[in-house]
Amino acid sequence: MTEIPSKVHFVLVHGIGGGGWCWYKVRTLLENSGYKVSCVDLKGAGIDRSDAKDIHTFDEYNQPLIDLISSLPDDEKVILVGCSAGGLNVTDATYKFGKKISLAIYLGATMLKAGFQTEQDFKEGVPNLKEHGEVYDHGFGLGEDQPATSALMKKEFRGQLIYHLTPPEDVTLGGMLLREGPHKAIVSAKFEGGNDVDEVPRVYIKMTHDLVLKLEQQEAMVARFRRGVEGVWEIRRSIHGIIVLARSWSRRWFCHIYLFRRSIFME
């Protein structure tokens, strides 16, 4: 099997409420195969102690990823991998660092070319869980009389919507480490400019059993973004998030992408 050059640097971006810890299985596989891996904690996530309800802009939320890419040597490129709402962070980075990104991979992730600009963007890019009732606890950083600024899925819904195909130990891990996410900041994401953004190759990997960002939403975003997406795959029986992805996400996946778009790894 053709191997990916070990010099490749993967930057893994979590979704709302998660953290770099979400990638612990994937990171282990990649690092054990000799690749360089960075797992960013976005503002208010993971070990970053900022309070999510006090983060009100997307730029503030995404600053840790921007700082990480800015700190890289001029001749170093990365492969960005975003999961869930982390797709927005990946897209933002492609606008700001188009020449630094060899490939953008969206794992069942929000993929909106200009962010949240239209009603259709919200329909396709924001989970619609109304049929389950009120599934989130909210934080009100601007006051109780203002719209919520943060959100965290209630524990009683996580097993049903996020972890329904997950080993029990990963359910426990998520219950211990999930934090409120800055919902207001995330849905304020808008992108513009970026002369090199269209030069970044992208692939989308659909999560077929995602009950949060549903398959039809993923497919709708891919269809609208189609001219800028060079490959679309799916992982069967895959769910929202990436804690359990390692059983399907292996070196075979990366080699498949490598063979499809070999030039992204060339000097």
Side-chain angles (χ1 to χ4, degrees):
M1 180 184 293
T2 301
E3 295 289 341
I4 301 174
S6 59
K7 64 182 178 181
V8 172
H9 182 184
F10 291 94
V11 176
L12 311 180
V13 187
H14 62 83
I16 185 171
W21 60 269
C22 293
W23 298 94
Y24 77 101
K25 291 183 179 180
V26 175
R27 180 171 188 163
T28 300
L29 285 174
L30 291 175
E31 289 186 334
N32 285 348
S33 298
Y35 309 129
K36 182 177 179 180
V37 182
S38 298
C39 298
V40 66
D41 282 323
L42 299 171
K43 190 80 168 179
I47 63 172
D48 183 285
R49 301 319 302 166
S50 305
D51 193 327
K53 71 176 183 295
D54 296 324
I55 301 168
H56 302 154
T57 69
F58 187 80
D59 284 345
E60 183 182 7
Y61 176 57
N62 203 29
Q63 194 60 50
L65 176 61
I66 301 306
D67 290 344
L68 188 154
I69 299 176
S70 297
S71 70
L72 298 175
D74 291 340
D75 61 349
E76 182 173 349
K77 291 190 174 185
V78 299
I79 296 177
L80 286 184
V81 186
C83 175
S84 185
L88 293 163
N89 304 84
V90 167
T91 300
D92 184 39
T94 65
Y95 275 85
K96 295 174 178 174
F97 301 100
K99 291 183 178 180
K100 297 283 293 178
I101 300 169
S102 296
L103 177 66
I105 301 176
Y106 295 79
L107 287 172
T110 306
M111 186 175 68
L112 301 170
K113 190 165 189 178
F116 291 107
Q117 305 270 3
T118 68
E119 183 177 340
Q120 187 174 8
D121 295 330
F122 283 92
K123 181 179 180 180
E124 295 172 359
V126 175
N128 182 355
L129 305 175
K130 292 180 180 179
E131 69 269 27
H132 302 286
E134 183 51 68
V135 303
Y136 295 105
D137 289 319
H138 295 285
F140 296 86
L142 296 175
E144 294 289 337
D145 59 339
Q146 298 296 317
T149 55
S150 64
L152 175 64
M153 185 174 287
K154 297 177 179 178
K155 287 186 178 181
E156 59 265 33
F157 290 101
R158 295 175 196 169
Q160 176 184 353
L161 297 175
I162 301 178
Y163 301 129
H164 53 291
L165 297 177
T166 305
E169 58 269 28
D170 286 331
V171 178
T172 301
L173 180 67
M176 294 169 63
L177 297 179
L178 281 175
R179 297 174 56 188
E180 285 188 3
H183 173 75
K184 179 180 184 296
I186 290 172
V187 298
S188 73
K190 294 180 174 61
F191 315 124
E192 59 183 13
N195 295 330
D196 302 312
V197 63
D198 291 327
E199 302 303 316
V200 178
R202 304 164 196 267
V203 298
Y204 197 97
I205 300 177
K206 296 185 289 186
M207 313 297 257
T208 62
H209 287 63
D210 192 333
L211 300 182
V212 179
L213 191 64
K214 300 180 179 71
L215 183 60
E216 55 266 31
Q217 291 178 283
Q218 299 173 48
E219 291 175 337
M221 288 187 289
V222 170
R224 275 210 293 159
F225 212 129
R226 185 61 185 176
R227 290 184 61 186
V229 180
E230 299 198 5
V232 180
W233 290 279
E234 67 178 38
I235 300 179
R236 296 178 182 178
R237 291 187 61 78
S238 53
I239 62 176
H240 191 75
I242 43 73
I243 291 179
V244 296
L245 191 58
R247 63 185 179 187
S248 298
W249 184 283
S250 64
R251 290 168 61 189
R252 182 174 301 176
W253 269 98
F254 287 105
C255 288
H256 188 42
I257 293 172
Y258 169 73
L259 291 171
F260 177 78
R261 189 64 166 82
R262 181 176 300 182
S263 63
I264 65 175
F265 297 105
M266 293 183 175
E267 298 289 347

